[in-house]
Amino acid sequence: MLRRDFLRRSTRTLGAALLTRSAIARAALLEPDPLPQKFHAQDEIVLGHTGIRTSRLAMGTGTIGFGGSSNQTRNSPLTHLLLDGYNENGLRFFDSADSYGSHPYVADKVTVLTKTDTRDAAGVRADLDRFRKELGVDYIDIVLIHCVTEGDWTTRYRGVMDVLSEAKQKGTIRAHGVSCHSLAALKAAAASPWVEVDLVRLNPIGSHMDADPATVISVIKQMRAQGKGVVGMKILGQGDLRDKPAEAIRYALGTGVLDAFTIGAETQKEQNNLIQRVAAA
């Protein structure tokens, strides 16, 4: 995964750091409002108007993912983790990417979302052929342009968008979209009719997000009004809320703006805990 945004965030000011700590304290002290319904990680959801039905919780495979590997593929028995999540826990949504090196582990699962870092048309065509071979499938459910930061990406990467549109017409992918890593990119995605699925960063403390939660939610509402599928990421603030998963998951569910969300468990215990937290919310 590209880490430009991570590096920018890591150099934030002391004032922003203090604000984050204050937000964590408020999240811990506030009595949560009742959620409007009962949720389960295995709930069947539909991603916007795509027609793609899958589980509410996606199994993330890209914790500290870059250069073809991640914590899941480097340090833990990912095969068993994914199979157990699929067979025992009923999770049917897998969040992968070329830069995570996780394609071979999620082959033949029910719903696969993956991402390309390539920014030219010929390269994306080659990626799609290679991705399908690595996944062992005739088609891929969702392909996103990965880690987009530019506000003008819908014109800058028109060639990439055209290749993905063509792939959808041919039936080699079911839906296309973008993974946003800046507010400008997020707003451009909301305004673009080409975007069918958007991967957005959302948590209660604004950690590793494109803007404060209220601003991001307002943009997501625009996406939902247009029928875009919305998948949340950075639910645990890239680890800043790792010791407060109940609050973070409850927040994600309570916003009412996410179709699904992805969290990258690194052990079977963590995965089981996430599933319990969703039900407990």
Side-chain angles (χ1 to χ4, degrees), residues 98-149:
D98 188 30
S99 58
Y100 305 160
S102 55
H103 286 165
Y105 300 98
V106 301
D108 299 323
K109 300 302 185 291
V110 175
T111 305
V112 174
L113 177 156
T114 192
K115 317 173 196 79
T116 175
D117 291 301
T118 304
R119 299 299 196 251
D120 66 272
V124 172
R125 284 195 182 91
D127 280 353
L128 293 179
D129 289 340
R130 175 169 58 85
F131 290 3
R132 285 186 294 145
K133 290 177 182 178
E134 292 173 348
L135 291 164
V137 297
D138 294 325
Y139 68 87
I140 305 171
D141 295 291
I142 306 162
V143 178
L144 307 182
I145 306 174
H146 197 184
C147 198
V148 173
T149 60

Side-chain angles (χ1 to χ4, degrees), residues 19 35 44-45 50 72 110 158 161 217 228 247 261:
L19 177 61
L35 294 181
E44 182 180 80
I45 59 90
T50 66
Q72 282 79 11
V110 175
R158 173 54 59 182
M161 295 163 65
I217 287 173
K228 301 182 192 299
E247 291 92 334
F261 54 89

